[in-house]
Amino acid sequence: MRRFILIAVPYLWLLALFLVPFAIVLKISLSDIILAIPPYTPTLDFSAGWEGIKAFFGALDLENFRFLATDDLYWKAYLSSVQIAFIATLATLIVGYPIAYGMANAPDHWRPTLMMLVILPFWTSFLIRVYAWVGILSNEGYLNQFLLGIGIISEPLTILNTNTAVYIGIVYTYLPFMILPIYSTLERMDASLLEAAEDLGCSRIKAFWLITIPLSKNGIIAGCFLVFIPTIGEFVIPSLLGGSRTLMIGKVLWEEFFNNRDWPVASAVAVILLLILIIPIILFQRNEQKQREADK
């Protein structure tokens, strides 16, 4: 009974906060839009019993999903979101790996302090941190003032309202999610392996590529998934730092829900986005399972 209760609690949590909301969104995606509050007409009527369910499947047309396939805006938004998420994840890895490597090789008494500095941004509101980059990256912001002051540039750089600003915001926001799993892997690595490689004639750089990188593979994979998955559906960062040309599916979803008030199409967009995210989520779970088996 104790084991059943222990297992049932997270599954009930998942059922209440994921499966039930997803079922509601899926039901709305199969509805018809109307000018009302709420702005849709459900085509699935449970009050009619089994006859209502049979009538629903008999008249099922998937019109909203077909509309997504015929409008270039939506599939371009999906592709753009995947592209931005991939580039941002790669940039986060390039920035985060040296930081994690430095933390893992720091003296033991410094590691808690370095860990605190990595998670320190979480003590501040996410929205405030993103807004701060508006003041840094704008034409009259601190970055342009600094570069103009030291003479590197002669006129302000246009960074805000571009994809570059979106990449900067994503890397800054999700950097701890990349650093922490890599640091956790590097911290457990046996340093004697590097010493043995150097004794056998490997240079430090060659030993790093042949031993450190392969042994930290699980942390790299986990960090990349933890950054890539939420970045695809990101809304706040592209809205505040990106311009009108920054096309991401999170912005499209917001426009459909709150500006166009087309809840059925917006729900269809959300369902497709979730189906896209299922692939990296499954791969992430398999990687975590392999890592747990390897630890045993």
Side-chain angles (χ1 to χ4, degrees):
M1 181 60 67
R2 292 178 180 178
R3 183 179 300 177
F4 173 78
I5 295 175
L6 184 64
I7 297 175
V9 171
Y11 276 97
L12 290 175
W13 182 270
L14 183 64
L15 176 65
L17 298 182
F18 177 76
L19 294 180
V20 172
F22 174 73
I24 295 173
V25 171
L26 180 61
K27 179 183 177 182
I28 297 176
S29 70
L30 300 173
S31 304
D32 298 325
I33 184 173
I34 59 171
L35 295 176
I37 298 177
Y40 69 93
T41 299
T43 55
L44 177 58
D45 185 11
F46 288 106
S47 63
W50 180 246
E51 294 297 328
I53 297 176
K54 289 195 296 184
F56 166 73
F57 283 103
L60 188 63
D61 55 6
L62 301 178
E63 178 182 355
N64 297 317
F65 292 94
R66 286 204 302 268
F67 175 73
L68 299 185
T70 57
D71 195 320
D72 293 347
L73 171 66
Y74 300 100
W75 66 264
K76 287 182 178 179
Y78 285 118
L79 291 179
S80 177
S81 297
V82 172
Q83 178 184 356
I84 292 176
F86 177 79
I87 296 175
T89 301
L90 183 61
T92 308
L93 175 61
I94 294 173
V95 176
Y97 195 95
I99 298 175
Y101 183 79
M103 291 173 57
N105 289 276
D108 292 341
H109 64 276
W110 277 106
R111 291 182 184 180
T113 302
L114 296 175
M115 178 72 72
M116 184 195 69
L117 293 176
V118 170
I119 65 176
L120 188 62
F122 290 116
W123 296 5
T124 307
S125 169
F126 166 71
L127 191 60
I128 294 176
R129 287 186 282 127
V130 176
Y131 260 120
W133 280 103
V134 176
I136 296 174
L137 300 178
S138 63
N139 290 345
E140 297 81 17
Y142 295 111
L143 178 60
N144 276 315
Q145 290 180 14
F146 174 75
L147 296 177
L148 289 170
I150 62 178
I152 294 181
I153 59 176
S154 58
E155 59 182 13
L157 299 175
T158 302
I159 304 177
L160 191 63
N161 297 327
T162 64
N163 283 352
T164 302
V166 175
Y167 292 134
I168 293 173
I170 292 175
V171 170
Y172 164 75
T173 301
Y174 293 100
L175 188 59
F177 296 100
M178 182 67 72
I179 294 175
L180 295 178
I182 296 177
Y183 166 74
S184 177
T185 304
L186 291 175
E187 188 184 27
R188 297 195 304 266
M189 190 178 67
D190 188 358
S192 62
L193 297 175
L194 296 175
E195 297 176 0
E198 293 178 5
D199 291 341
L200 293 174
C202 279
S203 63
R204 288 189 176 183
I205 297 178
K206 189 174 182 180
F208 173 80
W209 287 105
L210 293 179
I211 296 177
T212 305
I213 292 294
L215 291 179
S216 60
K217 180 184 67 174
N218 290 332
I220 293 174
I221 294 175
C224 288
F225 280 133
L226 289 175
V227 174
F228 181 81
I229 292 173
T231 300
I232 290 183
E234 182 60 56
F235 164 71
V236 175
I237 295 175
S239 296
L240 296 180
L241 302 181
S244 58
R245 296 184 179 180
T246 302
L247 185 61
M248 293 193 70
I249 198 62
K251 292 177 62 177
V252 174
L253 194 59
W254 171 273
E255 292 289 333
E256 291 294 341
F257 259 119
F258 296 101
N259 291 346
N260 299 339
R261 292 189 57 80
D262 192 343
W263 287 19
V265 170
S267 300
V269 172
V271 170
I272 297 297
L273 176 61
L274 181 62
L275 294 178
I276 293 176
L277 291 177
I278 283 177
I279 298 175
I281 289 174
I282 292 176
L283 294 176
F284 175 72
Q285 290 179 340
R286 288 184 177 180
N287 176 72
E288 289 294 306
Q289 183 178 1
K290 290 180 180 179
Q291 187 174 358
R292 287 194 297 267
E293 293 175 354
D295 293 339
K296 294 178 181 180

